[in-house]
Amino acid sequence: MEQKKRIFSGIQPSGDLTLGSYMGAIKNWVALQDEYDCLYCIVDMHAITVRQVPADLRRRSLEQLAQYVACGLDPQKNIMFIQSHVPAHAELSWVLGCYTQFGELSRMTQFKMKSQQHADNITAGLFTYPVLMAADILVYQADLVPVGEDQKQHVELCRDIASRFNNSFPDTFTLPEPFIPKMGARIMSLGAPENKMSKSDPDGCVYIMDKPEDIMRKFKRAVTDCETAVRYDRENKPGVSNLLTIYCAATGKTMQQAEQEFAGQGYGVFKPAVGEAVVELMRPIREETTKLLSDRAYLESIYKEGAEKASYLANKTLRKVYKKVGFVPR
């Protein structure tokens, strides 16, 4: 039997999961779970590059795991775990840091952007973040990494680091490919549709756990334009185009069907209809998440078993790397 390709991906528990996280990432993960060998991680170590309230970080890590399951990720088919529970990530990160050039890290777009946003807290962790991300991927010999366009640069650096290491020590790492799913909807902010929907922008963002009335209010206030035509035109009508993308992703309709449905109807009918579609899409996920969070023992069993399986795979790679660089076996 042909071996399944391995996928690794993770989301930071630095804020509550959004409609963008669901439509752009998690929904696609669910579609991949039968075809691939998948590891999905809650990357809590990455989250602390920006100051976090410890109790909130713990709460969100568990909530995120519950949401993964509520969105349809099956713990029997996927390895789901918390990054800090697998020490091999940090251990491999140190070795890879010794094979990463200072100049490569200083050119990272995200580092430049976050340094401006957090000018009073530019830490070494923020600078070396892409090395830990490379370790996350390479420690599992992942073939594919589902990423948005904004993370492609990190996967390219990961490949460069792995190639450099493989040049010194052949056949150590699998070179991962960025995997940009065809069906991944890029969801933009409801308040500023030129920006991606972000968990740090509460007004332009719909959270998975938002109450129906809050979702409706956010969609009714969503930015559109001074025309009334409901048609897709990303350049001239970014707000309406974003709402159409969300509507199609929530209902499974094609863009053409959606445009026909709202032809001649105006935004007063269109915006609440998008809100309703999202409310119905999120309702079962929100209810199931709430139910799972009341069963702490079940969630604990998922992340402990996940960390055990992940550690088994990660330690195989780490032993190989440690031997190649010349460390004495433990």
Side-chain angles (χ1 to χ4, degrees), residues 104-312:
E104 288 175 312
L105 294 176
S106 56
R107 285 193 294 275
M108 288 284 130
T109 315
Q110 219 169 3
F111 172 69
K112 292 176 189 168
M113 198 174 73
K114 288 203 171 171
S115 305
Q116 286 166 348
Q117 287 170 351
H118 306 279
D120 54 341
N121 186 38
I122 305 172
T123 62
L126 190 64
F127 188 66
T128 59
Y129 174 106
V131 182
L132 178 57
M133 188 172 159
D136 297 337
I137 298 163
L138 298 176
V139 82
Y140 298 109
Q141 306 289 356
D143 299 289
L144 300 165
V145 187
V147 284
E149 288 289 342
D150 57 335
Q151 289 283 351
K152 254 177 93 174
Q153 192 188 25
H154 284 162
V155 181
E156 281 157 16
L157 177 68
C158 172
R159 285 173 61 86
D160 290 344
I161 298 169
S163 297
R164 187 175 297 135
F165 194 92
N166 284 351
N167 284 341
S168 300
F169 308 105
D171 304 322
T172 307
F173 294 119
T174 301
L175 291 191
E177 300 279 346
F179 181 72
I180 299 170
K182 293 178 194 62
M183 54 184 280
R186 188 165 159 80
I187 306 300
M188 313 306 275
S189 162
L190 299 183
E194 61 283 355
N195 300 328
K196 200 171 118 178
M197 185 177 279
S198 160
K199 44 194 170 190
S200 57
D201 164 28
D203 293 331
C205 161
V206 173
Y207 297 104
I208 287 180
M209 298 304 282
D210 272 350
K211 295 186 178 79
E213 58 272 26
D214 294 334
I215 294 175
M216 290 305 293
R217 183 174 43 83
K218 287 176 182 179
F219 276 101
K220 283 175 182 166
R221 285 174 22 191
V223 168
T224 47
D225 52 51
C226 53
E227 280 185 39
T228 55
V230 178
R231 62 185 165 81
Y232 187 89
D233 179 349
R234 184 60 94 182
E235 205 165 307
N236 301 309
K237 294 169 77 71
V240 174
S241 300
N242 184 42
L243 292 176
L244 275 166
T245 302
I246 292 170
Y247 186 71
C248 292
T251 59
K253 292 180 180 175
T254 66
M255 195 58 76
Q256 195 180 357
Q257 286 170 329
E259 286 180 341
Q260 282 169 351
E261 186 181 339
F262 296 105
Q265 297 235 33
Y267 301 153
V269 173
F270 173 55
K271 292 204 287 187
V274 182
E276 284 290 351
V278 170
V279 165
E280 290 316 311
L281 180 72
M282 292 292 108
R283 190 190 304 279
I285 296 172
R286 193 182 71 250
E287 288 170 0
E288 183 63 16
T289 300
T290 307
K291 199 170 93 184
L292 288 164
L293 285 168
S294 67
D295 190 349
R296 181 72 181 259
Y298 175 62
L299 288 176
E300 205 171 289
S301 73
I302 293 173
Y303 70 67
K304 285 191 168 171
E305 197 178 316
E308 213 172 290
K309 289 176 180 170
S311 294
Y312 172 76

